[in-house]
Amino acid sequence: MRLLEKRNEIIEYGKKLVENGLTKGTGGNLSVCDRESGLMAITPSGIDYFLIKPEEIVLLDVETGSIVEGDAMPSSERDMHRIFYKYRTDIDAIIHTHTTFAATIACLNIDLPAVHYLVALAGPDVRCAEYATYGTVALAKNAYEAMKDRKACLLANHGMLAGGGSLAEAYNITEEIEFCCELYYRAKSIGNPVILPEDEMARMMERFKNYGKRGEEHDEI
């Protein structure tokens, strides 16, 4: 079975999404790209995350979108994943969710501004992609456009999309941007949140490049 390790990793993170309240039921989808083989592995459509078997994780050809291997139907959002693997070399994993607060902001069709420095994990802000029917090439193109120079976007009246160099990074971005969407929702409920300036967000984005790495430099006190 090809890409068994990546298939198992997708199953593991799918369960984490449910356990940590980042998705419900069979909502959302996850994928990983294997650059060496030119294949992407993606969750199947409509199967409980706790019941998915490795052989049901579907392998697709990144270039053509054709199914190469798998005992189930691939996610309806496969084109929204594939477009990033085809045209962006910095993204090797994608997570799509319907998290409550991200979906709430997305239903307003507005961007998530720099309400907290953690937004910088995704970019200077998080754009909201224009609405399109789920599972369509139009939605894939809208998401790709909204995520230019960023690692997350909101999907109008739908949810959130996050990408990274690994599923661990994509998951972390998903979790933190959902947190920032909740902060924005709560802050807007009682007043007008102060938005961080562009230069501070640029500084945060630079600092996050080395976040968690050993030997990270700190200013002297």
Side-chain angles (χ1 to χ4, degrees), residues 51-65:
L51 299 179
I52 296 175
K53 301 173 183 176
E55 58 268 26
E56 291 173 323
I57 299 294
V58 185
L59 302 186
L60 302 174
D61 184 284
V62 170
E63 190 63 32
T64 66

Side-chain angles (χ1 to χ4, degrees), residues 27 54 62-63 68 78 96 110 130 153 155 179 191 194 203 209 214-215:
V62 170
E63 190 63 32
V68 174
R78 55 189 176 273
H96 166 50
I110 60 175
E130 291 184 17
C153 71
L155 304 172
F179 168 69
V194 175
R203 186 158 41 247
K209 289 180 181 179
R214 292 176 178 170

Side-chain angles (χ1 to χ4, degrees), residues 65-169:
S66 60
I67 297 175
V68 174
E69 192 173 298
D71 294 343
M73 284 295 296
S75 167
S76 59
E77 301 290 10
R78 55 189 176 273
D79 285 329
M80 189 167 65
H81 292 245
R82 188 168 69 89
I83 194 171
F84 287 93
Y85 301 143
K86 190 171 181 178
Y87 298 111
R88 281 186 60 170
T89 58
D90 61 323
I91 291 180
D92 288 331
I94 292 279
I95 294 179
H96 166 50
T97 55
H98 303 153
T99 54
T100 302
F101 289 96
T104 299
I105 304 303
C107 285
L108 297 172
N109 287 204
I110 60 175
D111 300 342
L112 173 69
V115 68
H116 191 284
Y117 71 85
L118 284 171
V119 170
L121 287 167
D125 59 13
V126 178
R127 301 189 192 102
C128 184
E130 291 184 17
Y131 181 80
T133 304
Y134 85 90
T136 61
V137 172
L139 179 59
K141 290 180 177 179
N142 289 354
Y144 185 82
E145 183 66 26
M147 254 174 76
K148 280 186 176 178
D149 303 315
R150 285 155 175 75
K151 289 190 174 180
C153 71
L154 303 179
L155 304 172
N157 303 90
H158 190 158
M160 186 205 319
L161 191 70
S166 65
L167 271 177
E169 183 184 8

